[in-house]
Amino acid sequence: LLSHLHTIYLFCLRLERKNMSGTSAFHLARTVSKSPVPLIKFIVSAVLLNFLSPNEAALAQSLQPRVLHNFSGQANPMAPLVEGPDGCFYGTTVGGGSGGRGAVFKVTPDGAFTTLAVFTLYDGKSPNGLVLGSDGNFYGTTIQGGSSGFGTVFRMAPDGALTTLAHFNNANGAFPAGRLVPYRHGEFYGTTVTGTNYNGTVFKVTKNGTLTTLANFPSAYESFPGGLTLGQDGSFYGTTYGGWEKAFRVTRRGKLTTLANLAGISYPYATGLTLCNDGNFYGTTFEGGCHRLGTVFRVTRHGAVTTLVNFNGRNGALPAGGLTLGSDGNFYGTTIYGGTFEGTVFKMTTDGKLTTLANFTDRLHGVRPYGGVTVGDNGSLYGTTITGGSGDSGIIFRVDLPPSILSQPASRFKGRGATATFIVAATGTKPFSYQWLKNGRKMVDGCNVRGANSNTLVLANVETSDGGNFAVVVTNHWGSVTSDVAVLTVLEGGHSMVASWQVDVYDRSLAAGDSRASGPAAVAGPHIKLTFEGVPNSQYLVQYATNLTSSPWFNLSTNSASADGTWMVVDPIVAGEQRFYRVASPPAP
């Protein structure tokens, strides 16, 4: 067979599975009071001792957040914001409003502020954060108030019309914590700090207000549940605070499982987990760590815990809000102390590299961002501080970010007369401007060039003179970044070398009770996706061998390249097996 084939490309891939039931590694050959009442009062009154020096130096230069709105009347916002379909941000204050019982507001990306609803005690007091329902309404809970004083579940229309859906009465839980989590069938899931069993509950509530207690936390937990996060397996994950802190999983039927013991989640703030694209959960501890100023940690759904960041004052202290996953795969969050004065906004990679993006530098411009940040569709970060500002009752802030490359342009190998396309994706505050470069010189539209000032560069009917090194400069008002270089090689013959390939390794290990449909990948266990590029509308043969000395070459797949010259092959490789791949095609005419 090989005598009739032109061998095009050869590479080796080895897959090593370290632990079939836990974390996988792949290698390419290339203390607080037990009573919840003081804690509830702690939330409402927003009291915290200032035990850090406000003059602690920051690790790096950073921005100062832009103030969009100053609150007054002891409003004290402390929950995360949520972006609505209209591009505005919606949030709550624990105070202010009618008799200091809390309110719901919206703010445009540029700071136009509107109070939408106020609470009157019977319909609730001191609301938690909002979530957007599939019906376009907002849903949330209040910490206190309602018919029994133990909190409520409410719905708010975009125009501010407020409807109380359910009242907590201690028998069905008391003092709901964190934001509700919407599920695919339209119901919502949440937790209460306490109830008849003292240690809290997990509940489900429908859009019409039917409230069901799914689980009661046992007294052995000796801590209180925070908010929930939906996992890839359809179960909910969370952490507890105020005692023997734990990470837990609870199914929609109420089966509660302890995943891991944690430490440092002493207050009801940094109690939420954030699901990452890698299937693991990331969270913060309010205290604890090497300096007792808080940490960022990772926990797998099987309970393996890794500390990623120890806050030390200079890089922030006491991370009160949860983490937000950005489209760039990084996490964004806040600390309420540390930095240059009282609070920071930070970015963190999944391996724990932390960058301070902004510092809260003086009280007049807001301090202590309890609610974390929300990434807006425009690429900026939005959040609130619990105090400071001109009214000393908190602010709404915005942090604008310079561009960074989300997806680099890829090198291309094209035959004469084909079309070559280079695409870049960027993240940061929009809008962006683009300038493509060929061999370091600015390109302009004309002849066969289109998109020299857009994110997509198209070269039509390419000739050998069109080959070269291509890059793009992405710019916004806050900075610029230059992409990696992508090389265009124009092939003389119709069936020349395939010199572009991409390998993606997937792993979907299943635990007891999981189904293959519950995760993003339908294949249980590791498999490999190979993506190739060659001559458009040409046929190729993909082969593999287990070694390069005695193994024969086996045919894996025969494929025809698409109109753009690309095709893909999936190989369900066995864990621990080594494979070499090559691509071949008939000889060039």
Side-chain angles (χ1 to χ4, degrees), residues 433-469:
S433 63
Y434 302 87
Q435 178 60 66
W436 284 90
L437 310 173
K438 179 183 178 181
N439 298 328
R441 308 180 79 174
K442 292 183 179 180
M443 301 180 68
V444 295
D445 286 351
C447 297
N448 68 333
V449 177
R450 186 174 74 252
N453 299 114
S454 73
N455 71 316
T456 302
L457 176 68
V458 179
L459 305 178
N461 194 28
V462 296
E463 296 291 337
T464 54
S465 60
D466 290 312
N469 299 324

Side-chain angles (χ1 to χ4, degrees), residues 15-50:
L15 174 65
E16 295 182 4
R17 185 69 184 275
K18 296 299 184 185
N19 186 342
M20 291 297 291
S21 63
T23 303
S24 302
F26 301 100
H27 301 283
L28 296 178
R30 290 262 262 200
T31 59
V32 177
S33 167
K34 275 286 307 240
S35 172
V37 176
L39 296 174
I40 295 297
K41 291 181 178 178
F42 191 84
I43 295 175
V44 177
S45 62
V47 175
L48 182 64
L49 293 178
N50 184 358

Side-chain angles (χ1 to χ4, degrees), residues 226-291:
L228 299 175
T229 297
L230 181 63
Q232 292 178 343
D233 58 357
S235 295
F236 297 93
Y237 294 76
T239 59
T240 62
Y241 68 91
W244 298 101
E245 300 91 1
K246 298 174 177 62
F248 65 86
R249 175 177 61 235
V250 61
T251 67
R252 297 191 307 279
R253 294 184 178 181
K255 181 182 177 181
L256 182 65
T257 304
T258 300
L259 296 179
N261 292 314
L262 303 171
I265 312 179
S266 303
Y267 294 98
Y269 306 113
T271 54
L273 295 173
T274 300
L275 177 65
C276 187
N277 301 327
D278 60 10
N280 297 317
F281 298 90
Y282 293 72
T284 59
T285 66
F286 189 69
E287 296 178 338
C290 296
H291 308 282

Side-chain angles (χ1 to χ4, degrees), residues 111-136:
F113 179 87
T114 305
T115 299
L116 297 175
V118 296
F119 291 88
T120 61
L121 188 61
Y122 179 79
D123 57 13
K125 177 182 178 183
S126 301
N128 292 302
L130 304 171
V131 295
L132 182 63
S134 58
D135 57 2

Side-chain angles (χ1 to χ4, degrees), residues 379-510:
S380 294
L381 306 178
Y382 293 82
T384 61
T385 69
I386 195 172
T387 189
S390 61
D392 205 25
S393 294
I395 66 165
I396 303 172
F397 67 85
R398 168 176 171 169
V399 176
D400 297 313
L401 302 176
S404 61
I405 302 298
L406 185 62
S407 176
Q408 300 283 355
S411 294
R412 299 298 183 194
F413 294 81
K414 296 294 181 181
R416 294 177 61 188
T419 298
T421 302
F422 297 96
I423 302 175
V424 68
T427 185
T429 298
K430 302 172 184 176
F432 303 124
S433 63
Y434 302 87
Q435 178 60 66
W436 284 90
L437 310 173
K438 179 183 178 181
N439 298 328
R441 308 180 79 174
K442 292 183 179 180
M443 301 180 68
V444 295
D445 286 351
C447 297
N448 68 333
V449 177
R450 186 174 74 252
N453 299 114
S454 73
N455 71 316
T456 302
L457 176 68
V458 179
L459 305 178
N461 194 28
V462 296
E463 296 291 337
T464 54
S465 60
D466 290 312
N469 299 324
F470 294 82
V472 60
V473 180
V474 185
T475 305
N476 68 5
H477 183 70
W478 296 272
S480 65
V481 63
T482 302
S483 74
D484 292 346
V485 171
V487 180
L488 172 61
T489 303
V490 180
L491 309 175
E492 291 283 358
H495 292 82
S496 297
M497 179 185 296
V498 175
S500 177
W501 57 275
Q502 176 183 346
V503 180
D504 295 305
V505 182
Y506 292 84
D507 173 48
R508 173 68 180 143
S509 59
L510 300 179

Side-chain angles (χ1 to χ4, degrees), residues 11 530 532 540-544 553-559 567-569 581-584:
F11 60 93
L530 309 168
F532 302 89
Y540 294 94
L541 176 65
V542 182
Q543 299 177 313
Y544 73 90
W553 287 96
F554 301 97
N555 292 338
L556 178 62
S557 176
T558 300
N559 297 79
W567 80 97
M568 181 186 72
V569 177
Y581 295 91
R582 70 181 181 185
V583 183

